[in-house]
Amino acid sequence: MAGTEIDGAEAPPKRSKKPLILGVVGALVLGGGAFFAIYSGMILGGSDKQAAAHYSSGKVTDSMLGSVAFVPVEPMIISLGPESQRRHLRFQAQLEVTPAYQPEVALLMPRVLDVLNSYLRAVEAAEFERPTALITLRAQMLRRVQLVTGPNRVRDLLITEFVLN
């Protein structure tokens, strides 16, 4: 008797896949729109393109001169570790800063030198031989300097001397 009740019960109706399909299509459309907005510079980057166009014009204007200051980093000689056969790196740079923060960044120069020296000493000697080494090292050093000096104080790190002996 119990078997007849189970056999006689109706199967639950199948759920429609329409909401799932609409959700996936909506997510793809929104993701594509977000990608386009960020990639084209409409969101998170419009000022970089304007600044690049401004600087690439080749004309130095008074507004450009007043919005930038440079703080020199003292020349450093770094030994590259035991596996590098007693090689040394001569390094010198300039920090591009907002003029209002120039005195603060200059005051923090001992900390900047410490973080740069520590980082360059820790880099493996084989890293210096890679073709993209300077780009990678520059980005890493800039990030460390920005952490030491605080947000929005150092815009860029300009390497003026990078010689392996």
Side-chain angles (χ1 to χ4, degrees), residues 17-159:
K17 293 185 180 180
K18 188 175 181 179
L20 177 65
I21 293 171
L22 289 175
V24 169
V25 169
L28 288 173
V29 167
L30 289 174
F35 172 78
F36 175 76
I38 291 172
Y39 185 76
S40 67
M42 293 169 58
I43 300 175
L44 302 175
S47 64
D48 290 341
K49 287 186 177 183
Q50 292 169 353
H54 186 66
Y55 282 106
S56 66
S57 67
K59 298 177 184 174
V60 179
T61 63
D62 291 335
S63 65
M64 290 170 60
L65 294 175
S67 66
V68 67
F70 294 97
V71 177
V73 176
E74 295 177 22
M76 300 187 313
I77 298 177
I78 296 111
S79 60
L80 298 180
E83 68 275 353
S84 66
Q85 293 89 26
R86 299 181 188 216
R87 293 178 70 187
H88 292 83
L89 168 68
R90 282 189 357 218
F91 176 82
Q92 189 172 2
Q94 299 269 334
L95 300 177
E96 181 180 329
V97 299
T98 305
Y101 297 123
Q102 186 176 8
E104 292 176 27
V105 172
L107 186 65
L108 291 171
M109 193 51 62
R111 288 190 181 273
V112 169
L113 288 170
D114 177 59
V115 75
L116 290 176
N117 197 2
S118 300
Y119 172 69
L120 289 170
R121 178 75 169 102
V123 174
E124 295 181 20
E127 176 70 23
F128 293 110
E129 305 301 326
R130 293 184 33 220
T132 59
L134 197 56
I135 297 167
T136 306
L137 293 171
R138 182 174 171 259
Q140 290 290 328
M141 289 186 287
L142 175 61
R143 180 68 184 132
R144 284 166 171 75
V145 168
Q146 288 173 334
L147 287 173
V148 168
T149 59
N152 302 322
R153 285 176 170 60
V154 176
R155 294 183 193 169
D156 204 358
L157 175 89
L158 307 169
I159 297 175

